[in-house]
Structure formats: structure tokens, C-alpha cells
Amino acid sequence: MKNIQAYIQEHKERFLNELTELLKIPSISADSAYKNDVLKTAEAVKTSLEKAGCDMVEICPTKGYPIVYGEKIFDDSLPTVLVYGHYDVQPADPLELWTSPPFEPVIKKTETHPHGAIYARGACDDKGQMYMHVKALEFMTKTNQLPCNVKFMVEGEEEVGSVNLSTFVKENREKLKNDVILISDTGMIANDIPSITTGLRGLSYVEVEVTGPNRDLHSGLYGGAVANPINVLTKMIASLHDENNHITIPGFYDKVENLSEAERAEMAKAPFNLDNYKKALDIDAVYGENGYTTNERNSIRPTLDVNGIWGGYTGEGAKTVIASKAFAKISMRLVPHQEWEEITELFTKHFESITPKGVKVKVKPHHGGQGYVTPIDNIGYQAASKAYEETFGKTPIPQRSGGSIPIVALFEQELKSKTILMGFGLDSDAIHSPNEHFGVFNYLKGIETIPYFYKYFVELSK
Ligand code: BES
Ligand code: MN
Ligand code: MN
């Protein structure tokens, strides 16, 4: 890649300014109050792809938010890379915990990011990482170094389950035909320890509702005499793990793939410092399933976590009341071979079966998705590995992640191609949290590394 470093040096202020403009638009897909902003973001992505050199860009409507599709095809005999990313972001709350407003991006220096990091909702997940691909394309087209065909598919509903994208993919197999899918929507170990994500967990997300008496009651007059839905719900939830922190749902582990001792030993080689991990989170101990390390607990093992719980009185002061209803949102992270629909069903059956007399329980399934593992003996992985060697001077470490991008399994099923997850975020970048940020180093390194992926992928395809 001729002059890539010089090109980035010359244009880096503009690269940062353009990303800043994109980050200013609050494209929160979960909250309909932001509908116009989400749509505006799709337009902005379209314009950026046109400017970066796509021959054709369109906004494809769906039942929900549109998908931005762009392509530059110049030779059918050359391979095609399909880039996927998302332009929607998570809600920004709790707002009071942000040190600067979530949609007014600013660059701040941190210990981990001495060159500065851009603070904004979506900086890392996924606008910043998606935009690296747009700028990498710009570099390749402007310097006549794009070695193959490229397609972009950027959606606006990733954070709410990609429901309409599945339909789009199923209906547009020919249009989306490709030789490899490239995604930057994950992380790496550290700026001096590059890694490539080789696995994602699946997900089953449910909401539960426990109803006791038909109305809120005086907790003195009725307390002790009727089932309190909040007491019952918390007891039911507590029973979902045993004393070894194993999940107690019958059949939950049936399809879990158990890694061999050799595979686990290989995994354990990845650099990890437990003290730093605890320090960064200000916790005095880690917690999880007995018999597994922290890195195993958050990648190769399934989990069950309450994501939200509510009911009763939560306002100022005290109100003596027994609520009629209690609710919780629960996510289960799944590993390859666990089927998310089946797990949702197992959960529902089990949760209903442990309902005590005196309350009624409803389980409402939300979205879900399959996990994914990619082998490292394919040319896509090898091309990515060589690209990192080129720009980081080190061979990247393959590592499974605990997060989920459910659409990746569907890509494999429908488009029959492998996905390469070249993520440049860090765990400390606070995605989905207040003060999300993305290192300037990471952003520019991503822009520098991506063109090498194209180069090596084409070379290895020959
Ligand atoms: N980009 C994340 C997923 C991710 C982050 C994977 C870091 C690996 C490392 C994605 O936007 C996300 O947040 N996914 C959701 C699932 C989705 C169905 C809402 C998740 O993992 O909670
Ligand atoms: Mn994401
Ligand atoms: Mn996300």
C-alpha cells in the first residue's frame, strides 16, 4: 500500500472532523423519539460512501430503519469484500454520568489513550469503527490501489436485534454475493497486543413479569399475608444459579461445546492480568462459574444475567407498599451449538415451572441470535493476520469475544461466506456505558490496517 501513512498524516484532521459530524447525530434506534436523527444518519453515511468512491449507493427501506448499501464493482473476475457495520447507537443514559455530553464529541487524553480518544456515544460502537472502512476505501480509490470489488452494507438496527436486516439479506442474496465479509464492531486486547476476534456468543433475551394481587397494597395491612411479587421474582431469579454459579435450567448446557484441555491451554496463553482487570473495575474479586478462568467465563461459557429489574416504589423517600407486579429483563449469552430459540423455550418452561402459588408469571421473548466461531485456517483470517503484522509489527492473537453480533451467523447461513472480525476497540472504551470513547490511535490504525486486508486477501485468493 503505497503512501498510506503519508495519506493518513495529511488527512487525519479531516478524518476526525468527519467522524465528529457523524457522532453529533443521535441515532438511537431503540427510542422512537430519535427517528429523524436515525434517518439523517443513514443519509450522512450514504453521502460519505459516495464521496469515498462508491459507484452506486442507495438507501434501502425496510419495515424499520433503512440499510445503506454501496458498491464499487469494476471486475467480476476479482474477489468481492462485503463490509458490514451499523450506524445506530445505544441510548446514552444515564446522562449525568457523562463527563461531556454524549452527542457533542470531544477528544480527551487518557492513560490508555495518550494520543487522545474521541468521547461520544457510538464513537467505538460502531460509527467510529464503521467509518474507518469508509476512509480506507477513500484512500484506496483516491490512490488507485483498490485491488478488488467492494460492497458496503450499513444498517440502523443492530442495537435492537437486526430484525429487518435478516429479511433484507434473505431477499438480496445475489446483490450481496461476496467472497468474504469484513466487520469492525469488536475489540482487541490492547494497543500493543493486537488480536482478531474469532468467536461471538449467541443471545437469548427475555422479559419476565410476575403478578401478585390485582392492585398495589398497604405493606402493613397485607404484608406477610400475600405473595409479594418482588420478593418472589428475586427468589426465582436467585434460583437460576446454583452454588457453583452453574445455570440451573434443565437442558441449558446440553449442546454446549466443551473445549479440549489443549484448546483451553492455547486460550490461556493470551495475555491477561487479573489484578489490572479488578483494578479497572474497582472490584475486590471476580465472580463466575466455578472451574473456569475469567477469559473462559466471558467467551466460551454461556451465562444468564439480569439486565434490569423493576417494580414497586422507587421514588424519593419511602412509600409502604406491596406492588402488584414485578419485572425483569434477562439476557443469556450462548456459545456455539446452543440454539437460541431452544434456550428461550427451555428458560420459559423452567421459569413457569418454578412459579410458586400466589403469583402468575409471564415470559416474553425478545430477540436472540446464534453464536459464531471462525476457523483461522482460511484466507480471510490469514489476510487479516498479515495486515496486522504489517501495521502493528506483531502477529495478532486469535481470541473469542463474549459479545454478540447475531447477524454474523445468518450471513454464513444465507451468503455462505466467512466473516472476519477486525475490531479495533478496547474493553475499556466503555461501549454501551457512559463516556464511550474510541482512541485516535485505534481509529487511524484501523484506517491503515484495512487496505492491507484487501491487498493480502486478493493475493491469497489467486
Ligand atoms: N458491537 C457490539 C458487539 C460486540 C462488542 C461484540 C464488543 C464483541 C465485542 C454490538 O453492537 C452489540 O452491542 N451487540 C449486542 C447484541 C444485540 C443483539 C443488541 C450485544 O452484544 O449485547
Ligand atoms: Mn456494535
Ligand atoms: Mn452495541
Side-chain angles (χ1 to χ4, degrees):
M1 285 292 150
K2 269 199 334 252
N3 297 327
I4 176 105
Q5 280 173 348
Y7 191 92
I8 292 172
Q9 270 313 310
E10 191 186 335
H11 298 280
K12 73 175 186 204
E13 290 307 317
R14 178 172 57 83
F15 289 177
L16 285 164
N17 291 340
E18 288 174 9
L19 176 57
T20 298
E21 289 309 307
L22 197 62
L23 290 169
K24 282 183 186 168
I25 323 174
S27 51
I28 304 169
S29 52
D31 187 342
S32 57
Y34 294 90
K35 185 172 176 195
N36 286 336
D37 293 303
V38 183
L39 297 173
K40 206 169 125 190
T41 310
E43 289 292 342
V45 172
K46 175 174 184 262
T47 310
S48 73
L49 282 170
E50 284 162 350
K51 283 195 185 151
C54 280
D55 301 326
M56 189 276 277
V57 189
E58 54 186 3
I59 293 204
C60 308
T62 71
K63 281 187 186 147
Y65 287 121
I67 292 153
V68 185
Y69 176 82
E71 62 180 35
K72 185 167 182 68
I73 310 279
F74 55 89
D75 187 342
D76 279 341
S77 67
L78 288 171
T80 300
V81 175
L82 172 66
V83 176
Y84 162 83
H86 61 95
Y87 64 81
D88 65 323
V89 302
Q90 285 274 323
D93 59 279
L95 288 175
E96 66 279 10
L97 295 184
W98 285 77
T99 54
S100 55
F103 299 105
E104 293 171 28
V106 279
I107 293 177
K108 294 181 228 181
K109 288 196 165 74
T110 72
E111 215 176 294
T112 325
H113 295 293
H115 301 287
I118 184 157
Y119 276 71
R121 171 57 85 230
C124 177
D125 184 13
D126 179 41
K127 283 175 174 165
Q129 297 213 65
M130 177 272 292
Y131 207 66
M132 298 180 315
H133 288 268
V134 182
K135 293 300 98 179
L137 174 66
E138 173 195 308
F139 163 74
M140 291 185 284
T141 57
K142 296 285 184 294
T143 62
N144 286 318
Q145 296 187 79
L146 179 65
C148 60
N149 306 309
V150 56
K151 296 176 177 175
F152 270 76
M153 176 169 65
V154 188
E155 72 154 319
E157 296 187 314
E158 197 279 338
E159 300 293 6
V160 290
S162 303
V163 182
N164 295 299
L165 182 66
S166 323
T167 317
F168 182 79
V169 170
K170 286 177 189 159
E171 286 171 358
N172 290 281
R173 282 197 205 96
E174 198 48 39
K175 180 188 193 119
L176 300 173
K177 206 167 159 243
N178 66 79
D179 296 281
V180 69
I181 298 170
L182 187 57
I183 303 180
S184 297
D185 193 21
T186 55
M188 58 180 192
I189 298 175
N191 283 356
D192 56 352
I193 314 171
S195 60
I196 297 176
T197 305
T198 51
L200 295 163
R201 286 195 287 192
L203 180 69
S204 162
Y205 200 104
V206 298
E207 185 172 323
V208 297
E209 177 188 310
V210 176
T211 307
N214 59 0
R215 58 187 169 91
D216 289 5
L217 301 172
H218 189 289
S219 68
L221 296 183
Y222 289 91
V226 295
N228 175 333
I230 303 177
N231 290 8
V232 169
L233 174 61
T234 51
K235 207 167 161 180
M236 288 172 78
I237 287 170
S239 79
L240 297 175
H241 289 94
D242 68 13
E243 66 286 2
N244 292 315
N245 280 316
H246 285 297
I247 295 155
T248 55
I249 299 169
F252 187 85
Y253 290 99
D254 283 2
K255 292 190 178 164
V256 168
E257 165 198 44
N258 287 309
L259 267 66
S260 68
E261 284 309 316
E263 284 170 302
R264 292 178 68 184
E266 192 55 41
M267 265 189 81
K269 285 189 195 155
F272 176 74
N273 184 314
L274 190 61
D275 284 328
N276 290 348
Y277 186 86
K278 290 191 285 192
K279 215 153 105 214
L281 302 176
D282 196 17
I283 50 177
D284 61 358
V286 289
Y287 185 94
E289 188 181 2
N290 279 4
Y292 294 94
T293 65
T294 296
N295 270 340
E296 289 173 337
R297 286 169 179 170
N298 67 23
S299 65
I300 59 163
R301 299 297 296 167
T303 60
L304 183 151
D305 277 293
V306 178
N307 291 229
I309 183 161
W310 69 103
Y313 184 69
T314 56
E316 201 184 324
K319 178 187 178 194
T320 48
V321 68
I322 291 174
S324 163
K325 283 177 188 288
F327 305 84
K329 291 186 194 275
I330 297 173
S331 72
M332 289 164 276
R333 296 283 167 171
L334 311 176
V335 296
H337 308 318
Q338 281 182 298
E339 305 278 341
W340 76 271
E341 281 112 337
E342 187 183 340
I343 294 294
T344 304
E345 234 178 86
L346 290 176
F347 175 91
T348 307
K349 262 201 210 134
H350 177 67
F351 208 70
E352 286 169 357
S353 79
I354 60 171
T355 307
K357 284 217 165 76
V359 298
K360 294 186 218 57
V361 159
K362 262 192 220 156
V363 179
K364 181 171 132 195
H366 277 263
H367 53 262
Q370 291 300 111
Y372 181 72
V373 250
T374 173
I376 62 171
D377 60 358
N378 63 75
I379 60 168
Y381 184 88
Q382 283 157 8
S385 184
K386 283 169 80 103
Y388 284 71
E389 275 168 28
E390 192 81 50
T391 58
F392 285 86
K394 283 181 188 169
T395 305
I397 297 168
Q399 196 177 49
R400 286 214 218 170
S401 169
S404 309
I405 311 176
I407 202 69
V408 172
L410 187 109
F411 286 160
E412 171 143 333
Q413 183 195 313
E414 298 295 326
L415 305 174
K416 312 279 177 243
S417 42
K418 290 269 169 264
T419 291
I420 306 303
L421 298 156
M422 286 176 53
F424 294 90
L426 300 182
D427 281 356
S428 55
D429 287 348
I431 62 170
H432 294 208
S433 292
N435 304 310
E436 174 176 355
H437 55 278
F438 188 37
V440 173
F441 167 87
N442 303 67
Y443 178 55
L444 299 177
K445 210 48 158 181
I447 299 172
E448 184 187 342
T449 308
I450 291 162
Y452 285 103
F453 171 82
Y454 284 71
K455 173 180 176 217
Y456 290 121
F457 186 75
V458 174
E459 282 180 19
L460 292 168
S461 300
K462 281 178 187 151

